[in-house]
Amino acid sequence: MRFDILTLFPDLVSAVLGESIIGRACKSGAITIKTHQIRDYSTDKHHRVDDTTYGGGMGMLMAAPPLYNCFQGVKRDRAQDGFTGTSRVIYLSPAGSLLTQSKAKELADYDGLILLCGHYEGIDQRIIDELVDEEISIGDYVLTGGEIPACILVDAVARLVPGVLSDPKCHEEESISSGLLEYPQYTKPAVFHDRSVPEVLLNGDHAKVDRWRLEQSLERTRERRPDLYEKYMAEHPEPEKKKRR
Ligand code: SAM
């Protein structure tokens, strides 16, 4: 899968995505991440990319021409690389719809994503109208730029791409993916600061372990995310019964 990220701060993106599992996935070729410096596409002699907003108001807005030119640059770069797959253009924006695990799964089915990072007060609406398929927000708060949201989206999507995680089953049992929050987990030592690992995890009875984990997941989800709990229970009327068995 290929990610093209249009940004004013490519070093920020590379620093985050060049490490750990995503960094290794790039090296192995499971995914490709390319950053594109929007400023390089400004025709202004000072390489300006922003301007004041029509109608007045505080702050600066990223202007359409450098953004449009940068998209053209991405197109050329993809053509040079022989990329012809399915693709979607996303503008990271607090005004977008919320990024969820099911959205990440949906996006992982594309061969490529083009991610546009805004800055300042955002970007000229005409770029959204002409070039963007979808606006995505990573949460109900406002950040200074779209780079961190883009990294979050890449991370969430890339780990669903075959070959990125060592075992594809890893993400099936996790919080949210399964519809429930994950149960508590423990590793060695068995006792830490007088706190013991729950007995049930030490006795090798896998059926009991499974039951305990489901019970913990249900309990946590009910307490912390009643919205998820209700949805899960409507779709799986059985687990409460299994828990009591
Ligand atoms: N004036 C904009 C508004 O009210 O919707 C906010 C602009 S914000 C200060 C600058 C940039 O940060 C945005 O263009 C967007 O790319 C990014 N950004 C900020 N918060 C975000 C969020 N929650 N999700 C995704 N992107 C976000």
Side-chain angles (χ1 to χ4, degrees):
M1 181 164 192
R2 173 178 171 131
F3 299 89
D4 287 281
I5 306 177
L6 289 68
T7 168
L8 291 172
F9 299 96
D11 291 348
L12 197 164
V13 171
S14 309
V16 174
L17 297 176
E19 296 287 333
S20 183
I21 295 171
I22 304 299
R24 283 199 297 277
C26 290
K27 284 189 193 113
S28 76
I31 58 169
T32 302
I33 301 175
K34 287 204 161 184
T35 55
H36 305 268
Q37 171 56 273
I38 297 164
R39 206 173 286 286
D40 291 346
Y41 293 88
S42 169
T43 50
D44 176 86
K45 67 175 176 193
H46 300 298
H47 300 290
R48 273 186 63 177
V49 293
D50 58 332
D51 216 323
T52 52
T53 51
Y54 280 114
M58 297 222 302
M60 306 293 272
L61 203 64
M62 289 174 74
L67 290 172
Y68 182 82
N69 296 339
C70 189
F71 270 101
Q72 296 304 108
V74 172
K75 245 188 186 174
R76 284 194 296 276
D77 195 51
R78 286 180 152 201
Q80 261 168 24
D81 292 346
F83 177 85
T84 54
T86 56
S87 189
R88 194 145 178 90
V89 178
I90 293 162
Y91 169 46
L92 282 309
S93 160
S97 50
L98 280 182
L99 178 62
T100 59
Q101 188 64 26
S102 61
K103 173 55 73 175
K105 272 189 199 146
E106 189 189 311
L107 294 176
D109 283 341
Y110 287 91
D111 301 315
L113 295 178
I114 297 179
L115 306 178
L116 172 56
C117 306
H119 236 82
Y120 317 119
E121 277 310 306
I123 69 171
D124 191 300
Q125 180 62 36
R126 289 165 293 185
I127 287 294
I128 300 173
D129 296 343
E130 195 164 320
L131 298 173
V132 170
D133 294 315
E134 185 170 4
E135 292 180 64
I136 293 185
S137 165
I138 57 150
D140 287 340
Y141 38 79
V142 180
L143 303 171
T144 54
E147 285 71 19
I148 293 170
C151 291
I152 288 172
L153 189 146
V154 170
D155 194 300
V157 172
R159 67 197 295 285
L160 303 176
V161 172
V164 172
L165 296 185
S166 49
D167 182 350
K169 277 193 134 188
C170 286
H171 53 73
E172 284 167 21
E173 284 185 12
E174 277 169 332
S175 292
I176 313 294
S177 296
S178 65
L180 292 172
L181 303 185
E182 196 174 61
Y183 43 82
Q185 302 216 71
Y186 302 85
T187 183
K188 292 184 184 72
V191 181
F192 173 72
H193 289 186
D194 291 335
R195 294 169 191 271
S196 303
V197 171
E199 192 63 36
V200 63
L201 301 178
L202 303 172
N203 63 20
D205 184 334
H206 295 297
K208 272 193 184 159
V209 169
D210 286 349
R211 218 161 36 241
W212 179 86
R213 285 179 169 168
L214 176 64
E215 193 179 301
Q216 293 290 318
S217 277
L218 285 164
E219 213 54 43
R220 269 191 170 185
T221 312
R222 195 176 55 77
E223 272 175 33
R224 298 178 188 182
R225 293 290 303 273
D227 55 324
L228 290 181
Y229 182 78
E230 271 172 34
K231 186 164 179 270
Y232 185 87
M233 292 310 285
E235 288 164 6
H236 308 78
E238 277 297 297
E240 277 292 351
K241 280 184 226 148
K242 265 195 215 159
K243 200 176 103 178
R244 280 193 287 270
R245 239 176 253 153

